């Protein structure tokens, strides 16, 4: 039987949904790590990517059941839900990539001001930074970081050791990474929709022909 046959479509759909499970785990874990590293809690677009990963994980299980059993109802809802997930994942991925530096700066500032003093100090120690911006004169580098910092001859030549600059860089990197990752995997979901439509309309040669819907 050629690759366009029932068995080939069935095996391809099973393999594709197995891959979707791995992709879903990546869409859940990696954006969460990027968001945590950036220390910016109000990056809702990254939350959208994570939510897409959760729904993709659930619909992949539905797709596996539909593929193994050639279940018409499961395959129908699988196609609809997977296409909706594609739309949302595509949207949130684009939003991640088009967030401006001014918006990131605003989000970083709001997140920093909402954090407790203890958490701010913890961030300063872990990132070896001081305050939200370079003009913050109310803090100093942690002792371990200050010992590693090069001496400066004047305030104008001092390096920018502010936490805001580092958090901005981490947030930008995280958004670009999550947006690119989500956008790439979103288009693979269209393959799943097409394959499910094709497989659903094929007859199972092992089944009773009169039972085919």
């Amino acid at each position: 039987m050629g690759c366009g046959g029932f068995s080939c479509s069935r095996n391809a759909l099973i393999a594709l949904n197995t891959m979707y499970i791995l992709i879903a785990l990546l869409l859940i874990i990696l954006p969460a790590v990027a968001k945590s590293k950036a220390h910016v809690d109000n990056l809702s677009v990254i939350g959208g990517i994570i939510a897409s990963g959760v729904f993709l994980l659930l619909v992949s299980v539905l797709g596996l059941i539909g593929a193994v059993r050639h279940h018409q109802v499961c395959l129908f809802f699988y196609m609809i839900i997977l296409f909706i997930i594609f739309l949302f994942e595509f949207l949130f991925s684009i939003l991640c990539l088009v967030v401006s530096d001014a918006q990131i700066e605003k989000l970083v500032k709001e997140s920093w001001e909402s954090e407790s003093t203890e958490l701010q100090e913890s961030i300063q120690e872990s990132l070896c930074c001081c305050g939200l911006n370079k003009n913050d004169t109310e803090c100093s580098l942690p002792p371990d970081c200050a010992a590693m910092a090069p001496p400066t001859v004047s305030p104008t030549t001092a390096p920018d050791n502010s936490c805001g600059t580092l958090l901005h860089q981490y947030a930008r990197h995280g958004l670009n990474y999550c947006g690119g990752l989500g956008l790439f995997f979103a288009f693979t979901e269209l393959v799943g929709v097409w394959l499910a439509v094709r497989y659903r309309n094929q007859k199972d040669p092992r089944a009773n022909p009169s039972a085919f819907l």
Side-chain angles (χ1 to χ4, degrees):
M1 182 176 294
C3 192
F6 177 86
S7 297
C8 183
S9 298
R10 177 177 180 270
N11 293 335
L13 195 58
I14 292 174
L16 188 63
N17 280 281
T18 302
M19 184 184 71
Y20 283 161
I21 292 177
L22 299 178
I23 292 174
L25 294 176
L26 289 176
L27 293 176
I28 294 171
I29 296 173
L30 295 182
V33 171
K35 184 176 181 180
S36 174
K37 189 174 182 180
H39 297 282
V40 181
D41 297 329
N42 46 0
L43 288 176
S44 56
V45 287
I46 292 184
I49 297 292
I50 297 174
S52 298
V54 173
F55 285 111
L56 180 60
L57 180 62
L58 297 176
V59 80
S60 298
V61 176
L62 180 65
L64 283 174
I65 295 173
V68 171
R69 299 184 178 180
H70 197 231
H71 196 288
Q72 297 292 307
V73 177
C74 287
L75 289 171
F76 173 77
F77 283 105
Y78 169 78
M79 295 183 302
I80 300 300
I81 298 173
L82 187 61
F83 184 72
I84 294 174
I85 291 175
F86 160 76
L87 294 178
F88 277 99
E89 189 176 332
F90 181 82
L91 174 63
F92 283 115
S93 298
I94 294 297
L95 289 176
C96 283
L97 295 174
V98 300
V99 174
S100 65
D101 289 336
Q103 290 173 316
I104 294 178
E105 184 176 352
K106 180 181 178 181
L107 291 173
V108 168
K109 181 179 180 181
E110 292 175 352
S111 181
W112 178 268
E113 292 175 348
S114 65
E115 303 291 1
S116 63
T117 303
E118 291 77 10
L119 185 55
Q120 290 180 0
E121 292 176 353
S122 175
I123 294 174
Q124 290 176 152
E125 292 178 0
S126 62
L127 299 181
C128 280
C129 58
C130 178
L132 178 62
N133 52 60
K134 190 175 182 180
N135 298 324
D136 192 346
T137 59
E138 298 181 359
C139 77
S140 57
L141 284 174
D144 295 340
C145 300
M148 296 185 295
T152 55
V153 294
S154 68
T156 56
T157 61
D160 188 356
N161 295 317
S162 65
C163 296
T165 301
L166 292 176
L167 294 177
H168 186 284
Q169 294 173 357
Y170 284 132
R172 168 56 68 191
H173 178 74
L175 286 169
N176 290 341
Y177 183 79
C178 294
L181 185 71
L183 196 61
F184 174 77
F185 287 131
F187 287 102
T188 66
E189 292 158 13
L190 291 179
V191 178
V193 173
W194 169 79
L195 193 57
V197 172
R198 185 167 177 266
Y199 176 63
R200 185 173 182 267
N201 292 326
Q202 290 177 324
K203 292 184 179 181
D204 187 349
R206 300 168 300 178
N208 183 359
S210 63
F212 178 73
L213 299 179

